[in-house]
Amino acid sequence: MPVAVKKKLFAVLAVVCAVVASQVVFIKGGEASSVIGLAVCAAASAFLFLVC
Amino acid sequence: MIQMPSTLPPMSALTWILAMLPLIVVLVLMFQFKVSGPRAGVIAWVITLVIAYFVFKAGPQVLLAGSIKGVWTTLSVLFIIWSSMFLYNIVNETGSFKVIANTFTRLTNGNRLLQLLILGWAFPTFVQGVCGFGVPVAVATPLLIGLGFDPMLSVITALMGHSWGITFGSLGASYEALYTPSFGAWAGEWAGTGAPDAWRAPLAMWGSIFIAFGGVIVGLCILHHYRKYVPEEEKGSVIRKGLPAVLFLSIVMGLVMVGVCTWLVPNIGCFIAGAAGLGLGALVLPKMKAYKGTGEEFKPQEGTPDLSFLQAFSGYLMLFAIVLVCLLEVKGVFSNPIKQALASVKFGYNAVESVTGTGFTTPASFQSLNLTTPGVLIVVSSIVAICLYKAMGALPKGAVGRSLMNTAKQSIGSTTTVIAMTMMAVVMTESGLTTYIAYGIAAVAGSFFPFLAPFIGLLGGFVTSSGTSSNVLFAGLQFEVANALKISPFIILAEQTTASSLSNSFSPGNASLGTGVSNQSGKEGEILKVTGFYNMIQSALVGLLGILLINVLHMGL
C-alpha cells in the first residue's frame, strides 16, 4: 500500500481515537476536562491537516 | 416581523456574517485557492470553534459534543463509501462493466445523450427510491465511467440526477421529517377536523408538484452541463438534440411522482417514478425519430467476458433485492418484520445535552447505528456477489484482495474530507450558528420570503449533506415564518424540501463520495463549483415558482 495512503489512514484513526477518548474520558468531566478533549481532537485534526 | 429566538444572540448583520464565515471560508479555500477538502474542513472547524465560543457563547463541552457527534455522523457515510467502492471493484474485476456498457450502447443505439440521461438521471432516481444516503451516486457513477464518460461528468451528472427525488426517496424518510408538532396542530385546525395528520395529503401534493418541477430543472441542468464535454462544433446542437428526451423523462417521472404521492403512497413516489423513467426511457426513447440509430453494426468492446447482462449486473441486482427485502416498509400500510429485527440490533453512545451560554439547547440523545444502515446491506450484497461471480467462474484469482487494496486507495481521500467537513457542520448546528443564519434570512425577507425559503433548505442541505437533516433542522422555522406571514405553509415546506433535496448535489459530503467512487480525490472543489452554480439557479427557480403561487395566484391555503 502506498505510504501516502497509510499516512492518511493513520490520520483518520487518530481523529477517531481522539473522539472516542473525548467521549469516554473527557466530556463527562464538565467544562474543564472538555478543554483537554478539544485539545486532543485539535492535535489529531492537525495531523490530518498535515498529511492531506 | 420575525424575531430571533431568545436562546440566540440578538439579531445583527455582523453576527450573521460571522455565523456564515465558516461556510464562506470552506467555499473560498476550495474554489479560489484549490485547498484540499480535509484542509479546508479543518481550518473551517477551527474558525467555527472560535466564533461559536466568543460570539455564540458555546462552552468547551458544547464544542466537544458537536465535534464528537460530527465524527460519529460520518461513520454511516464512510461505511457507504467504502462498501460501495468495494462492490464496484468486485464487479470491475469480473469485467462486467464492459457487458453493461455494451448492453446500454446497443439499447440506446449508441446515443451518448440517451445513455447519460437514462443512467445518470432515471437510474439514480430509481435507486434513490429505495436506498438514499449517497448510494445512487456510488452506484451510477462507476456505470457511467464504464460507458466511457468523463469521470467528472459522471460524478456531476449522478449527483444532480439523484438529487431531485430525495424527498420521496429512501422510502419517504425526508418527507416524514417535514412534520413538526406545531405544523400538525395547525393543519388539524386548518382541516377543521383537529387531526394532526391533516398535513399529509396537501403537503404530499404540493411537495410532489415542486419536486416534479425540480426534476425538469435537473434534466435541463444535466443537458446544459453535458455541452462542456462535446466537441466545439456540436455544442450548439446538444440542447436541441437532448430536449425531447429531457422533456419525455421529466414528464413521465414528474407525472408518476405527483400521481403516486397525491393518490397512492408518497413514501414510494421516487421508486415508482424512477422505475417508470428507467423502463420507458430505455424502451421508448431509442425508438423516437430523433434517437434512431445510424444503421452501423454494433461492435462489442474488446475483452468483454462471456456473461449475460443479468449475470454481469447480478452484483447490483443483489443490492436492490437485499435493500427491498430488508427495508421496504410503508408507514400505516405495510410493516416489515425483517427491518424491525435488523433495526433492533443497534450500537452507539449517549450524547450529552449541550447548552450554550445564551440557552441554545441540543437535548441529550442516544446516537446509534443499526443493521439497516446502507453500508451493512452493501457489504452483505458484496459477499453474495462474490459467491455468485465465483460460481459463474467470472472472478479471477486474487480479485478480492486486489479489490480491498483498491478500495483503500480510492476511498481514503474522501474519508478525510467527510470527517473534517462534518465536524465543522455539526459544531455549527449545535452552537446555533446554522439556525441563526436561517432566522436572519427569514427576518429580512418579508413578502419576499417565498423566494428565499428554498435558500434556507439549500443551506441545510449544504451543511448536513442530507435532505432529511435539512428538513429536521428547518421545517419548524419555515412553518413558523409562513404562519407569521399568513401564507401557505404547504407551499413553503414544499419549497424547503425541494431545495434541500436538490442541494444534495452541492454538499461536500456527497461531492467527496463522488470523488471517492470515481477515483478523483482532491477534486471536490471543482465539483462543488459546478453543482453550486446549478444549485443556485435551481433554488432561484423554485423560489420564483413559490412567489408565483403564493404572491400572485394566492394558492395553497
Side-chain angles (χ1 to χ4, degrees):
Chain A
M1 192 180 288
V3 179
V5 176
K6 277 186 188 166
K7 278 185 184 173
K8 286 179 186 175
L9 275 173
F10 277 125
V12 169
L13 270 179
V15 173
V16 172
C17 290
V19 160
V20 171
S22 299
Q23 172 63 27
V24 176
V25 182
F26 301 119
I27 199 159
K28 287 166 190 161
E31 298 286 313
S33 65
S34 291
V35 175
I36 303 172
L38 268 177
V40 172
C41 288
S45 300
F47 181 36
L48 186 74
F49 181 91
L50 288 173
V51 300
C52 293
Chain B
M1 177 70 183
I2 305 300
Q3 296 294 324
M4 190 63 76
S6 58
T7 53
L8 288 170
M11 187 108 56
S12 91
L14 180 64
T15 311
W16 192 85
I17 291 167
L18 285 172
M20 281 289 288
L21 196 60
L23 300 179
I24 296 169
V25 166
V26 164
L27 295 178
V28 169
L29 286 177
M30 289 179 76
F31 294 174
Q32 194 64 37
F33 297 102
K34 314 277 181 214
V35 174
S36 69
R39 285 190 170 183
V42 170
I43 293 170
W45 174 65
V46 173
I47 292 172
T48 308
L49 293 182
V50 173
I51 293 170
Y53 183 79
F54 287 105
V55 183
F56 286 75
K57 310 295 176 208
Q61 202 171 15
V62 176
L63 302 177
L64 186 58
S67 303
I68 293 170
K69 207 182 275 181
V71 174
W72 175 261
T73 311
T74 62
L75 291 185
S76 75
V77 178
L78 294 180
F79 201 4
I80 296 172
I81 294 177
W82 284 70
S83 55
S84 57
M85 204 63 235
F86 179 65
L87 177 59
Y88 162 74
N89 280 314
I90 288 290
V91 177
N92 197 32
E93 282 281 343
T94 64
S96 291
F97 281 111
K98 285 184 179 167
V99 180
I100 298 169
N102 285 340
T103 307
F104 271 94
T105 308
R106 205 176 51 240
L107 264 179
T108 54
N109 303 323
N111 189 301
R112 305 290 284 162
L113 249 173
L114 286 191
Q115 291 165 7
L116 188 75
L117 291 172
I118 292 171
L119 274 183
W121 181 21
F123 179 64
T125 302
F126 170 69
V127 180
Q128 178 66 39
V130 282
C131 190
F133 312 102
V135 172
V137 179
V139 175
T141 304
L143 284 177
L144 287 170
I145 294 172
L147 275 167
F149 286 102
D150 181 276
M152 189 62 86
L153 171 68
S154 305
V155 175
I156 291 171
T157 304
L159 277 169
M160 290 201 283
H162 92 292
S163 66
W164 75 287
I166 286 172
T167 292
F168 298 106
S170 310
L171 302 169
S174 195
Y175 160 71
E176 297 290 342
L178 282 168
Y179 176 80
T180 64
S182 52
F183 177 42
W186 176 90
E189 209 172 292
W190 166 83
T193 59
D197 261 7
W199 62 277
R200 284 184 176 274
L203 186 60
M205 184 191 77
W206 284 112
S208 58
I209 289 171
F210 271 83
I211 289 290
F213 177 66
V216 181
I217 308 171
V218 159
L220 293 172
C221 289
I222 290 174
L223 200 56
H224 183 264
H225 178 242
Y226 180 56
R227 290 168 73 248
K228 277 189 193 168
Y229 297 86
V230 299
E232 198 59 42
E233 63 275 12
E234 290 177 26
K235 280 192 194 308
S237 63
V238 166
I239 301 284
R240 181 174 51 78
K241 283 182 181 166
L243 205 55
V246 167
L247 290 178
F248 176 85
L249 285 174
S250 54
I251 288 171
V252 166
M253 293 197 287
L255 285 180
V256 172
M257 178 78 84
V258 174
V260 171
C261 292
T262 307
W263 292 294
L264 289 173
V265 186
N267 304 59
I268 54 169
C270 181
F271 177 64
I272 306 287
L278 193 58
L280 290 175
L283 294 175
V284 177
L285 281 175
K287 294 191 172 61
M288 284 169 72
K289 199 179 166 188
Y291 307 114
K292 281 246 161 100
T294 54
E296 283 175 33
E297 198 187 336
F298 168 72
K299 287 180 195 151
Q301 288 182 37
E302 274 182 31
T304 304
D306 188 21
L307 293 171
S308 70
F309 177 75
L310 281 182
Q311 284 176 319
F313 207 52
S314 54
Y316 287 108
L317 286 177
M318 275 303 112
L319 175 62
F320 301 140
I322 287 171
V323 165
L324 274 178
V325 168
C326 296
L327 296 188
L328 186 63
E329 190 173 73
V330 180
K331 211 173 180 179
V333 178
F334 163 66
S335 145
N336 185 341
I338 298 174
K339 183 181 178 181
Q340 286 163 5
L342 291 174
S344 66
V345 183
K346 52 177 90 169
F347 62 98
Y349 76 97
N350 289 309
V352 297
E353 180 188 66
S354 63
V355 187
T356 66
T358 54
F360 188 82
T361 306
T362 306
S365 59
F366 180 62
Q367 296 290 313
S368 66
L369 286 177
N370 60 48
L371 290 186
T372 61
T373 303
V376 175
L377 304 182
I378 302 173
V379 167
V380 174
S381 309
S382 304
I383 294 168
V384 177
I386 290 170
C387 298
L388 273 176
Y389 287 130
K390 271 203 170 162
M392 292 174 210
L395 208 60
K397 212 176 171 190
V400 176
R402 276 194 304 277
S403 298
L404 280 170
M405 185 68 79
N406 286 335
T407 301
K409 281 187 210 164
Q410 292 154 346
S411 308
I412 189 65
S414 43
T415 300
T416 50
T417 303
V418 171
I419 285 182
M421 292 288 179
T422 317
M423 278 169 76
M424 170 207 75
V426 179
V427 173
M428 275 185 76
T429 303
E430 301 234 329
S431 307
L433 277 73
T434 314
T435 309
Y436 192 92
I437 296 168
Y439 269 91
I441 294 172
V444 296
S447 62
F448 207 51
F449 186 70
F451 181 74
L452 291 180
F455 290 91
I456 295 177
L458 164 65
L459 169 73
F462 178 79
V463 170
T464 63
S465 295
S466 156
T468 307
S469 302
S470 175
N471 285 348
V472 168
L473 205 56
F474 291 133
L477 164 76
Q478 299 271 23
F479 167 73
E480 295 297 341
V481 178
N483 201 19
L485 295 173
K486 306 281 179 232
I487 56 177
S488 168
F490 299 117
I491 293 181
I492 292 296
L493 285 170
E495 289 185 59
Q496 151 72 27
T497 195
T498 304
S500 65
S501 294
L502 294 171
S503 70
N504 273 255
S505 64
F506 177 49
S507 65
N510 289 341
S512 305
L513 195 148
T515 57
V517 295
S518 60
N519 206 9
Q520 298 186 94
S521 287
K523 291 193 174 173
E524 292 86 3
E526 282 178 54
I527 291 172
L528 290 176
K529 204 171 183 176
V530 176
T531 55
F533 167 74
Y534 286 118
N535 223 244
M536 290 297 162
I537 294 173
Q538 291 165 355
S539 295
L541 290 173
V542 169
L544 284 177
L545 180 62
I547 285 270
L548 175 73
L549 293 174
I550 290 175
N551 292 15
V552 181
L553 300 175
H554 306 290
M555 293 176 84
L557 269 174

